Amino acid sequence: MTTVDEALDNAKSSKFHYKVLFVSGLGFFTDAYDLFIIGVVILILPLAGWNNISIFYKGLITSTALLSAIIGSVTFGRLLDYLGRKEIYGLELVMLIAGALGSAFLTPTNNILVFILWRFLLGVGIGGDYATSSTIMTEYSNTLNRGKFVGTIFSMQSFGLLAGPLISILFLTSGLSPSLTWRLLLAIGGIPAMLVIYFRRTMPEPPRYTADVRGDIKTAEKNLRSYTGIDAQSKRAEKVNAKWYDLFKDKKFLITLIGTAGTWFLMDWAFYGNSIMSNSILSFLVPSGLNGINAIILTNKYSALIFGIAAFPGYWVAVFTLDKIGRKKIQITGFLMMAISFGIIALFPGIISAAYVYYFLMIYGISYFFIMFGPNVTTFVYPPEVFPISTRGFGTGISAAGGKTGAFIGTFADTLILAFTNLSFLMWILSVLAILGCAMTVFLLPETKGKTLRESSGENRYMNQT
C-alpha cells in the first residue's frame, strides 16, 4: 500500500508541480515588486508636489508594508492550519491588489496618512502570501526536488526585483510627469496578482493536509488522483496531532523556531534595508552636479545593474543547488560572504564615492549575490520543512513574521542611520548582523536535504492512527 505522503514524496517532477509553481510564483513576483518599488517612489514624490515628507515619514512610508506583513504572515499562517489551505488561498492576493491600486489611485497628494493605510493593507496581503505559498508548494513537492520547487517560488522575486528599476527607468525617460509616474509604478504591482487569483481559489485542498490533518483519506486520494494523476491507497489514515502551542512547548520545535525566525530576521534587516534603500545608498555615487529626475534615473541604472548581474543569478544558483549542497551549507556560506562584503565597504569608506563607483558596485554586487545564493532563499525554504503539517502554516507564518520584523526595523533604522551618520557605519551594522545569522544557522538549524517531510518536520512523534 502506498500512502498519500509516500506517493507525493516519490513522485517524478510533473506538470502539476509546474502548475503549482506558476500559481504560487507569480504572487512572489508581485510581492517583490510592490515592496521594493516604494524606494523609487519615495524619491519621486517631492518632484510630484509632495512637500511634507520628513525623515520620519520617509522611513514610515517605506517600511509600513513590512510592518503589516508581520500581521499578515502570522494571521494567514494560523488560518492555514485551522481552516485549511483551500479556504484561504487567494484571499491574500485580494488584499494585495486592493492595497496596490488604492495607494496608486486613491491617495491624494501630500496625504501621508492615506498613503500609509493603503500600504498597510498591501503588506497584510504580502505577509499572507509568504505563509501560504511556501506551505502549499512544500506539500505538493517530492523529496528529491523539494528545495528546487520551493526555492523557485521565492526566486520569482528576482524578476520583480529587476522589474522595478527597469520600469522606473522606462517611465522616467518617457517624458511622463512625476505625478503620473509614481502612481503608475505602484499600480503595476497589482496586475500579476490578478492573473492567478482564480487558479488559487480553485485549487483543491492539498492531499497531505486532507489525509494527515483531517483524517479524510478517501478525499485525499481522490484529490491526489484528479489534480496530480497519482494513485495512492491506504487502509487507514495516520493523523498528525501536533497543536499550534506545541511549537512553544516542545523544546526541539522551539529551538528550530528561534532558528528559522531569528535567521530570517537578521537576513531581512540586511536585505530589505539594503534593497528598499538602494536608491538612497547608490545616491552616494551620483556626481554632485546631477540632481532631480536625472539623478534618480542614474541610481535606478545602478540598481538594475546590481540586481541583474549579481542578485538575479544568485537566486537561481541557489535554486539548482539546494538539493545538492544542502540548505544549511548555503545559508552559512551566504551569511559569511555578506559579513565580509559589508565589512570591506565599512573598512574602506573612501570607495563610497563617484570616483570609485566600479569598485563599490563590485563589492556591493558580491554581497547581493551571496544574499540570494544564501539566506534570502534558504530562510524561505526552511520553515515549511521543519514543522509538522498541522502547525506548518503557523510555524512558517511566525518565521516569516520574524523576517518582516527585521525588514521593518532595518528599513526604518537604515533611513535614520543614513540621515544622521554615514554609509560606512551602516555597513558595520549589517556585517555584525550577518555574523550573528551565521552563528544561529550553525547551532540552531538542521539539514533537511534528502529527508521526507515526515522526517524533517518531526511529525512522526505526533502521529496517531485513526
Side-chain angles (χ1 to χ4, degrees):
M1 293 289 183
T2 300
T3 66
V4 167
D5 286 274
E6 291 169 344
L8 285 167
D9 285 339
N10 299 320
K12 294 181 179 180
S13 298
S14 185
K15 63 180 182 181
F16 78 85
H17 288 117
Y18 299 105
K19 182 177 180 180
V20 178
L21 277 179
F22 171 76
V23 172
S24 301
L26 202 57
F28 266 83
F29 170 91
T30 304
D31 294 345
Y33 178 89
D34 283 328
L35 284 175
F36 297 128
I37 200 63
I38 194 64
V40 180
V41 169
I42 203 70
L43 296 178
I44 298 174
L45 290 179
L47 304 177
W50 288 63
N51 52 26
N52 60 343
I53 307 179
S54 64
I55 293 297
F56 174 80
Y57 281 122
K58 182 179 179 181
L60 196 58
I61 290 171
T62 54
S63 59
T64 290
L66 299 170
L67 177 64
S68 57
I70 299 169
I71 299 171
S73 60
V74 174
T75 302
F76 275 87
R78 181 70 187 102
L79 291 175
L80 205 64
D81 295 331
Y82 183 69
L83 298 177
R85 286 42 167 157
K86 178 178 172 58
E87 291 299 318
I88 65 169
Y89 200 38
L91 298 182
E92 71 288 340
L93 290 188
V94 174
M95 301 180 74
L96 186 155
I97 292 166
L101 298 182
S103 61
F105 300 124
L106 299 178
T107 301
T109 299
N110 281 320
N111 197 320
I112 293 176
L113 179 59
V114 171
F115 196 13
I116 288 173
L117 289 174
W118 284 118
R119 292 291 296 179
F120 187 91
L121 180 62
L122 172 83
V124 173
I126 289 174
D129 200 21
Y130 270 78
T132 55
S133 289
S134 61
T135 296
I136 289 171
M137 185 72 250
T138 296
E139 291 174 2
Y140 273 109
S141 295
N142 57 35
T143 300
L144 183 64
N145 298 308
R146 189 173 62 239
K148 181 177 73 173
F149 286 138
V150 181
T152 295
I153 285 179
F154 188 73
S155 294
M156 291 298 291
Q157 190 182 75
S158 64
F159 293 99
L161 195 64
L162 188 57
L166 291 178
I167 294 173
S168 299
I169 292 170
L170 177 64
F171 285 170
L172 291 169
T173 56
S174 67
L176 289 175
S177 69
S179 297
L180 181 59
T181 295
W182 74 266
R183 294 184 185 277
L184 291 178
L185 287 174
L186 293 177
I188 286 173
I191 295 174
M194 296 178 188
L195 302 177
V196 293
I197 286 181
Y198 171 79
F199 298 104
R200 288 194 179 192
R201 295 301 300 153
T202 55
M203 285 179 67
E205 191 74 76
R208 290 186 200 261
Y209 180 87
T210 304
D212 297 346
V213 179
R214 299 302 189 205
D216 187 351
I217 192 66
K218 295 300 180 184
T219 301
E221 291 170 354
K222 179 183 176 182
N223 287 341
L224 180 68
R225 190 177 305 110
S226 63
Y227 195 69
T228 71
I230 299 173
D231 286 315
Q233 288 185 330
S234 303
K235 288 184 177 179
R236 52 184 173 176
E238 294 180 311
K239 291 182 66 175
V240 178
N241 291 318
K243 308 298 183 184
W244 65 269
Y245 46 78
D246 287 321
L247 295 181
F248 307 100
K249 290 174 56 180
D250 187 310
K251 183 179 179 181
K252 182 177 179 180
F253 287 152
L254 180 59
I255 290 173
T256 302
L257 184 62
I258 293 171
T260 55
T263 55
W264 207 339
F265 171 91
L266 295 167
M267 191 284 303
D268 266 15
W269 182 327
F271 177 47
Y272 279 87
N274 230 359
S275 298
I276 292 178
M277 295 305 299
S278 63
N279 284 77
S280 297
I281 291 171
L282 295 172
S283 66
F284 288 98
L285 307 178
V286 176
S288 57
L290 201 63
N291 51 48
I293 290 291
N294 291 327
I296 298 174
I297 291 172
L298 183 58
T299 58
N300 272 283
K301 288 180 179 179
Y302 287 152
S303 293
L305 184 67
I306 291 172
F307 295 161
I309 294 178
F312 189 90
Y315 277 105
W316 297 100
V317 172
V319 165
F320 292 106
T321 57
L322 276 167
D323 295 308
K324 297 180 176 65
I325 298 175
R327 288 67 156 153
K328 190 165 184 172
K329 289 180 181 177
I330 290 176
Q331 185 156 307
I332 290 171
T333 301
F335 270 129
L336 283 176
M337 292 304 297
M338 287 166 60
I340 292 170
S341 300
F342 295 142
I344 290 173
I345 296 173
L347 276 171
F348 302 100
I351 69 171
I352 310 170
S353 68
Y356 296 97
V357 59
Y358 296 110
Y359 294 102
F360 178 84
L361 290 177
M362 180 180 69
I363 298 171
Y364 196 55
I366 289 172
S367 76
Y368 261 99
F369 177 85
F370 282 101
I371 288 174
M372 310 316 170
F373 178 60
N376 194 38
V377 173
T378 52
T379 52
F380 180 81
V381 173
Y382 253 128
E385 293 186 315
V386 294
F387 300 113
I389 190 168
S390 57
T391 61
R392 182 167 292 140
F394 191 49
T396 300
I398 293 176
S399 301
K404 291 301 162 281
T405 302
F408 170 75
I409 293 174
T411 303
F412 192 78
D414 290 359
T415 302
L416 300 179
I417 290 169
L418 287 177
F420 296 109
T421 60
N422 53 56
L423 186 56
S424 179
F425 183 72
L426 173 61
M427 290 298 162
W428 276 123
I429 293 175
L430 299 184
S431 183
V432 171
L433 294 177
I435 292 170
L436 292 174
C438 182
M440 291 188 74
T441 304
V442 170
F443 294 109
L444 300 181
L445 293 177
E447 179 55 72
T448 57
K449 179 188 72 170
K451 295 181 179 179
T452 67
L453 274 181
R454 286 195 172 179
E455 292 171 334
S456 66
S457 67
E459 61 191 30
N460 283 326
R461 293 181 289 138
Y462 286 88
M463 291 177 62
N464 293 321
Q465 290 189 337
T466 59

